Amino acid sequence: MECSSVLYSNDAMRRQVSPGTGTVKRIGIVLFGGFALPETAAVVEVFQSVKLLTEGERRDAVRYDVSLLSVTGGRIVSSSSVFVWTEGIDVRRDQERFHALFIAGGAGVNDALRDERLIAWLRRMHPRADLVFPIGEGQLLLDGAGFRLAPTIRRHAVYIDEIMRLGVGNGDGSSAAVASPLQTAIALVEEDFGSEIARQVADWVAPSADTRFTAIVRKNASVGVSENVKASAKWLEANAHRPISIDDAAQIACMSERNFLRRFKIEMGVTPSDYLLYVRLDMSCRLLVETTLPVDKVARHCGIGCGGRLAKLFRKHLATTPTEYRVSKRS
């Protein structure tokens, strides 16, 4: 069974993070066959969350145009067998500049190093980007293009000091001089939107506080979960805001729907439908605490539909209402 579904696409990204007004800043993320999905997805999620957290603000504010790029364009497979749709590196031509250019890492980096078109493009584009930053083994591609100095974070970003102290993106609590890709993306947001939005983005992408559903959602990273089931769980998380079918998730796992339902329940401890519900409730809890969005909008953003349905789910699973939950967590 061929895996034909995708986690992200450029068209979907532009609908989410690049309205047609205000100052537009291009964010490029360079991918290749066998790139590491989790680290790359975290960077993408930073810029996705900005749109959500700044909805309804001034129409002349900064907007991010995020492009997933590869040498040939089209469908690129990650190291976890999830397909991502990309734009060819030459589509927009070299005269355009990037506000930031992230270079993915992963198991396929050695093959990417042998791609002369990619290395030549990096050499041309590096001077035309305000910031170029590797994701893991992406530094090897920059080395191959002749840029051997590891980039450091822009130190005039105030909130990044706190991010690095907490170890967001590093996982070790260190305050190293070289930030992670996630820290760097958050620092860019701070420069454009201020420390409060940066804090909310950091809490959203790497939350410091758990909800009742967090442990269930995070189980997709457990050692005992197979790569195919992990990939389907991540796909459910990434697409929870829209109507989706379990058959779509089964395709991500490269299984029949019947086998997928059985394997997912065994490995994750819940059915795919319940997992999707818990992802949406976890997202709702975070939005209620970290934003001022009305309950109806929270429900729509989390794929739940309307405030009435969200209230019903909260009463069933949390024995409270969304408004009461928001007040209790902020007090």
Side-chain angles (χ1 to χ4, degrees):
M1 180 177 182
E2 183 186 5
C3 293
S4 58
S5 299
V6 298
L7 181 59
Y8 296 112
S9 70
N10 278 311
D11 288 343
M13 284 296 305
R14 289 200 186 91
R15 284 196 298 270
Q16 293 183 55
V17 299
S18 185
T21 60
T23 301
V24 177
K25 293 188 175 183
R26 272 194 82 194
I27 308 294
I29 302 177
V30 179
L31 309 179
F32 47 81
F35 75 95
L37 179 62
E39 296 84 356
T40 304
V43 173
V44 173
E45 190 173 1
V46 166
F47 299 106
Q48 285 181 318
S49 63
V50 170
K51 167 62 169 61
L52 181 61
L53 292 169
T54 59
E55 185 176 56
E57 294 189 356
R58 297 191 337 263
R59 293 183 63 81
D60 60 347
V62 171
R63 297 289 182 265
Y64 295 123
D65 177 7
V66 180
S67 298
L68 307 180
L69 305 166
S70 68
V71 170
T72 59
R75 195 170 69 166
I76 297 294
V77 65
S78 73
S79 58
S80 53
S81 301
V82 175
F83 289 104
V84 175
W85 284 100
T86 63
E87 182 179 295
I89 55 177
D90 295 326
V91 168
R92 297 198 188 186
R93 306 306 174 191
D94 290 344
Q95 63 267 26
E96 292 197 71
R97 299 184 63 90
F98 287 97
H99 179 54
L101 188 62
F102 291 89
I103 316 300
V109 71
N110 289 327
D111 289 335
L113 277 168
R114 292 190 287 269
D115 193 320
E116 295 181 359
R117 284 181 60 192
L118 176 58
I119 299 301
W121 185 83
L122 288 173
R123 288 174 180 150
R124 294 196 306 272
M125 295 308 299
H126 191 283
R128 301 177 187 179
D130 295 333
L131 175 70
V132 180
F133 205 98
I135 303 175
E137 297 87 352
Q139 181 63 49
L140 295 176
L141 291 173
L142 292 178
D143 291 346
F147 305 105
R148 296 187 178 277
L149 293 178
T152 56
I153 199 66
R154 303 178 189 195
R155 298 308 304 170
H156 62 273
V158 177
Y159 185 62
I160 197 64
D161 291 324
E162 178 68 7
I163 293 170
M164 294 180 74
R165 183 183 70 78
L166 294 173
V168 173
N170 282 337
D172 57 5
S174 67
S175 55
V178 178
S180 73
L182 178 57
Q183 291 167 337
T184 301
I186 293 171
L188 293 174
V189 171
E190 187 194 0
E191 291 176 349
D192 291 327
F193 292 91
S195 59
E196 178 58 25
I197 291 297
R199 182 194 63 77
Q200 292 182 48
V201 169
D203 287 344
W204 178 254
V205 178
S208 55
D210 291 345
T211 74
R212 185 172 298 184
F213 312 102
T214 301
I216 298 171
V217 174
R218 286 183 182 170
K219 190 178 177 182
N220 71 77
S222 299
V223 174
V225 179
S226 66
E227 287 301 314
N228 284 0
V229 170
K230 282 183 183 179
S232 66
K234 291 298 292 182
W235 185 87
L236 287 170
E237 292 172 38
N239 292 275
H241 61 283
R242 65 182 184 87
I244 56 178
S245 71
I246 298 305
D247 182 59
D248 292 333
Q251 290 185 52
I252 291 294
C254 300
M255 300 178 188
S256 67
E257 185 170 352
R258 181 178 179 181
N259 189 40
F260 172 67
L261 291 170
R262 182 177 64 86
R263 291 305 313 168
F264 196 100
K265 178 66 182 294
I266 291 172
E267 295 184 30
M268 297 293 290
V270 296
T271 66
S273 295
D274 283 343
Y275 185 80
L276 177 60
L277 174 62
Y278 296 143
V279 166
R280 287 169 169 168
L281 288 171
D282 183 67
M283 190 186 310
S284 299
C285 289
R286 298 193 191 286
L287 283 180
L288 286 167
V289 175
E290 297 162 9
T291 76
T292 58
L293 289 173
V295 172
D296 270 341
K297 281 195 174 182
V298 169
R300 289 198 297 273
H301 279 304
C302 298
I304 290 176
C306 66
R309 173 162 168 72
L310 182 61
K312 184 176 181 180
L313 289 170
F314 263 57
R315 284 193 293 269
K316 177 179 179 180
H317 293 276
L318 296 171
T320 188
T321 68
T323 301
E324 290 169 346
Y325 181 87
R326 169 176 273 166
V327 170
S328 69
K329 293 300 181 179
R330 289 182 171 182
S331 59

